Amino acid sequence: MKIIECPRDAMQGIEKFIPTETKVHYINKLLKIGFDTIDFGSFVSEKAVPQMRDTSKVIDALDLNETKSKLLAIIANSRGANKACEYNKIEYLGYPLSISNEFQLRNTGMTCVEALKEVSRIKEIAEKKDKNLVVKLIASISLPIGILILMTMMVIPLPVFLLDVFFTSNILISLIVVRTSSIYIKITS
């Protein structure tokens, strides 16, 4: 299990723009603590998430010299994946995948099936750039973890041609069980 700190999630919900210098100062402090990974920013539509419009400036100013922590950036499509892959400091690309079609449409503009196809394209981009893909399975319900895992496996329609996305190479899957907790499971073949 990895402990991943996620200041991005808190920041993106704040309406008033947080100055870039403030974000950099805060994230640099988190980098010194020793979390495995910091989910620090996103390469998504500025219109959809205006708070993250300075992610490129933030990444350029982060100091990774005295930390073992890795950086994760959220992406919502191949365009965001390509942008995130331009930065050597980013190790993980995070893609939000909901078990709810309605939530997936609101979050990425795609149905669950379309999003799974996009995960396949993003996986190829990540592999070419030597990045790791983290698929964040989102389920806004509160159940014991074992039941949630079984329920998630039953609810998400995985077309046969997409099974290789999850089972032929290393991929991290995050189950977000109530917005504040995440469990990261590494699946290796």
Side-chain angles (χ1 to χ4, degrees):
M1 183 178 296
K2 298 176 184 241
I3 298 179
I4 299 177
E5 177 60 19
C6 186
R8 176 216 29 98
D9 197 38
M11 287 184 211
Q12 74 184 19
I14 298 172
E15 191 172 326
K16 183 178 178 190
F17 186 73
I18 301 168
T20 303
E21 304 76 34
T22 303
K23 292 175 188 172
V24 169
H25 180 74
Y26 181 67
I27 296 168
N28 275 330
K29 284 187 175 244
L30 290 174
L31 287 167
K32 291 178 182 177
I33 292 173
F35 292 104
D36 181 81
T37 304
I38 307 289
D39 181 341
F40 79 100
S42 61
F43 293 95
V44 299
S45 164
E46 291 180 14
K47 184 179 176 186
V49 188
Q51 189 64 256
M52 296 291 107
R53 67 181 179 255
D54 62 346
T55 294
S56 293
K57 291 177 183 174
V58 170
I59 186 92
D60 286 338
L62 292 178
D63 180 10
L64 300 178
N65 290 322
E66 296 182 28
T67 185
K68 292 182 181 180
S69 296
K70 296 170 244 14
L71 294 177
L72 180 148
I74 292 297
I75 47 106
N77 52 41
S78 299
R79 185 176 55 245
N82 281 314
K83 182 70 175 167
C85 285
E86 293 175 11
Y87 297 90
N88 291 330
K89 291 180 179 179
I90 296 173
E91 183 163 328
Y92 297 108
L93 307 182
Y95 183 82
L97 181 65
S98 179
I99 64 171
S100 160
N101 237 9
E102 181 180 334
F103 184 84
Q104 191 68 40
L105 279 165
R106 282 187 285 146
N107 205 27
T108 64
M110 296 177 227
T111 65
C112 290
V113 171
E114 290 167 337
L116 283 169
K117 291 176 185 175
E118 188 70 356
V119 166
S120 183
R121 289 187 286 274
I122 292 167
K123 178 179 170 264
E124 287 178 23
I125 292 167
E127 286 176 348
K128 285 179 186 174
K129 298 293 187 170
D130 201 28
K131 304 289 184 191
N132 294 298
L133 174 60
V134 175
V135 176
K136 294 185 164 210
L137 292 179
I138 302 167
S140 304
I141 53 176
S142 182
L143 294 171
I145 295 302
I147 294 171
L148 178 62
I149 290 170
L150 290 174
M151 191 178 119
T152 301
M153 290 176 169
M154 291 185 297
V155 174
I156 294 180
L158 286 177
V160 174
F161 70 93
L162 285 173
L163 287 176
D164 71 313
V165 170
F166 295 102
F167 299 111
T168 60
S169 65
N170 292 345
I171 189 167
L172 296 173
I173 297 178
S174 163
L175 292 177
I176 300 175
V177 185
V178 192
R179 281 186 69 82
T180 56
S181 30
S182 298
I183 295 174
Y184 290 79
I185 303 167
K186 186 168 187 176
I187 298 175
T188 57
S189 53

